[in-house]
Amino acid sequence: MGDAVLVIGTYDGHVLAFAVHGDKEAGSMLAPILGIKAHQGSVRSVCASGRYAVSASSDETMSVFDLVKVVDLGQLYTDSVGNSVVAMHGGSHLVSGSDGGRVAIFRSSDWEQLTSMAAHPAGVVDIAIHPSGRLALSVGKEAQLYTWNLMRAKCVLKRPLSRPATAVRWSPSGTGCAVLSGNDVLVLDLTSDQVASTFAHSERVLAFDYLSDSLLVSGGEDKGLRLWDLSSAEGAPPLCVHADAHGSRIKAIVRLGEGLIASASTDGSLKLWRVEEQAFVQIDGIELGARITCLGANTEGLPYKRRAVASGEAPRAAKTPSKVAAAAAGKGAKPKKKASLPAPTEDATPKSVAGGKRKAIASDREVVASDRKVPSAGKGVLKGSGKKKKQ
């Protein structure tokens, strides 16, 4: 497989990115790209597509990163309260959901907010974009699954669920979908709007993802990973169980490629697994020393103009453009010095923010940037782009 990109969000506001070299030997597959203190609150969702990565935080901001240039492009703001989830497709458009119950669409060429749609009245919990980029699914705090036509920016179908869902996923080919609800993973039949299969767990499930169109992986409070066959009969046991895959509950699972997944735990451990002969085989991992809250992946890797950082060399630290610093400071500030980011060690611990300067994770060198203030009003303005949306 080619190089995938894995993005990680932590409870203390750090965002990290790794290139995953699937063709390398076990134990040397993770190459760091980015590590930065991006938010004052915890990171609730991350996504990656094309050259970009985006994070949404409990501090009501979304941060945008260019992973090819290793640049922090600034922050996005919407007209709704609280950003709960972000999803991206093709590197061209970003879809975000908020606690205020709205779904917004941004264009990545200038980060203009194209539209904002009323969605789940109690708040948006998760969004999944179809592989074609034309459709999206969303779940909220009420027991309903919404289907969106992204070409027309319109909700075209609402499916009732037996109880509220906390996550939704498309299959890799886009021919199926599944939702996570309590202790169960529900696989839906798109033709009949009925539940095709129910995979029950003894304890609460916190994360799942498709491994292929016929296989699904889940994990949660019991610290173990389970592999499910979607063609099996109702009530059938999992194909295999890897007990105690992590030392604490499994918070996030994401597919990286054919037969390859990543799982993360609240104890700060990140592990890569390859499924071979219906068994989980760990091929790499790292201890981040921070409480992981979410994972995102770009299975297609970075664009062809990738830099040496995606080839395994030590990356540069994320830098902030002069326009971002000037906009945050409210005057024509000169750009600060660049700083390099050495590869993180296994005992790396995120450093706190002090004196208005952001520090990169696993580095004793400061990534300097002015504090950014949240404006009192404004729709979809990327601070630092030098352009504001016309009123």
Side-chain angles (χ1 to χ4, degrees):
M1 61 170 273
D3 295 344
V5 175
L6 177 64
V7 184
I8 306 164
T10 71
Y11 184 78
D12 51 8
H14 284 88
V15 175
L16 304 96
F18 290 86
V20 182
H21 303 298
D23 54 353
K24 288 194 174 183
E25 297 180 357
S28 61
M29 296 179 64
L30 290 170
I33 298 176
L34 175 76
I36 192 170
K37 172 73 173 181
H39 298 279
Q40 298 302 318
S42 62
V43 181
R44 303 174 65 180
S45 176
V46 291
C47 66
S49 183
R51 64 189 298 144
Y52 299 110
V54 182
S55 60
S57 170
S58 59
D59 62 10
E60 301 191 359
T61 63
M62 293 181 288
S63 290
V64 183
F65 308 95
D66 186 327
L67 297 182
V68 174
K69 294 183 178 180
V70 197
V71 171
D72 178 359
L73 296 178
Q75 292 185 330
L76 286 170
Y77 303 95
T78 66
D79 55 359
S80 188
V81 178
N83 300 300
S84 57
V85 61
V86 287
M88 205 168 186
H89 181 269
S92 61
H93 290 82
L94 170 72
V95 180
S96 70
S98 70
D99 292 332
R102 301 191 68 85
V103 171
I105 302 177
F106 296 84
R107 180 177 55 207
S108 65
S109 60
D110 55 4
W111 295 107
E112 179 81 6
Q113 180 177 311
L114 301 179
T115 186
S116 178
M117 304 168 288
H120 303 271
V124 183
V125 175
D126 197 18
I127 296 174
I129 301 178
H130 190 268
S132 67
R134 296 175 177 268
L135 299 173
L137 298 174
S138 68
V139 292
K141 295 180 181 179
E142 78 285 357
Q144 281 193 322
L145 173 68
Y146 285 28
T147 302
W148 299 88
N149 183 333
L150 297 181
M151 305 299 291
R152 301 176 59 187
K154 182 179 180 180
C155 178
V156 294
L157 183 62
K158 297 181 181 180
R159 293 183 175 92
L161 300 173
S162 59
R163 53 186 181 274
T166 55
V168 59
R169 297 287 185 271
W170 286 103
S171 63
S173 66
T175 56
C177 68
V179 297
L180 173 59
S181 181
N183 291 9
D184 301 330
V185 177
L186 310 176
V187 180
L188 305 180
D189 185 343
L190 297 180
T191 58
S192 63
D193 288 344
Q194 301 296 321
V195 176
S197 303
T198 300
F199 301 123
H201 300 68
S202 58
E203 296 187 47
R204 184 184 177 192
V205 186
L206 299 176
F208 82 102
D209 204 353
Y210 281 88
L211 183 66
S212 65
D213 284 340
S214 59
L215 297 174
L216 185 146
V217 180
S218 64
E221 295 282 0
D222 62 359
K223 310 174 188 177
L225 290 171
R226 287 172 169 78
L227 179 66
W228 303 90
D229 184 358
L230 302 185
S231 62
S232 61
E234 185 74 19
L239 294 178
C240 70
V241 178
H242 192 293
D244 296 325
H246 288 268
S248 185
R249 60 179 181 169
I250 297 175
K251 184 64 175 177
I253 295 173
V254 67
R255 175 180 177 270
L256 295 174
E258 184 176 355
L260 184 65
I261 64 167
S263 64
S265 171
T266 53
D267 63 4
S269 62
L270 171 71
K271 297 183 179 181
L272 301 187
W273 307 87
R274 192 179 297 280
V275 179
E276 299 176 352
E277 299 179 355
Q278 298 184 2
F280 291 98
V281 179
Q282 184 180 348
I283 54 179
D284 206 349
I286 189 171
E287 295 290 336
L288 297 177
R291 180 178 168 185
I292 300 174
T293 55
C294 52
L295 293 177
N298 176 6
T299 59
E300 297 179 357
L302 296 177
Y304 68 95
K305 289 185 179 180
R306 67 185 66 184
R307 301 197 174 203
V309 63
S311 301
E313 298 180 12
R316 299 179 302 160
K319 60 180 181 292
T320 304
S322 58
K323 291 183 179 180
V324 175
K331 56 184 179 180
K334 295 182 179 181
K336 304 294 183 70
K337 291 184 178 181
K338 302 176 183 178
S340 59
L341 174 64
T345 57
E346 293 190 358
D347 59 347
T349 303
K351 297 182 173 65
S352 60
V353 173
K357 298 179 179 180
R358 299 185 302 169
K359 296 187 178 181
I361 190 170
S363 173
D364 57 354
R365 299 184 181 182
E366 297 175 349
V367 177
V368 182
S370 302
D371 287 334
R372 293 172 290 194
K373 299 181 180 180
V374 179
S376 57
K379 296 183 180 180
V381 178
L382 178 61
K383 305 301 289 184
S385 65
K387 297 181 181 179
K388 294 186 178 180
K389 184 179 178 181
K390 295 181 181 179
Q391 300 296 326

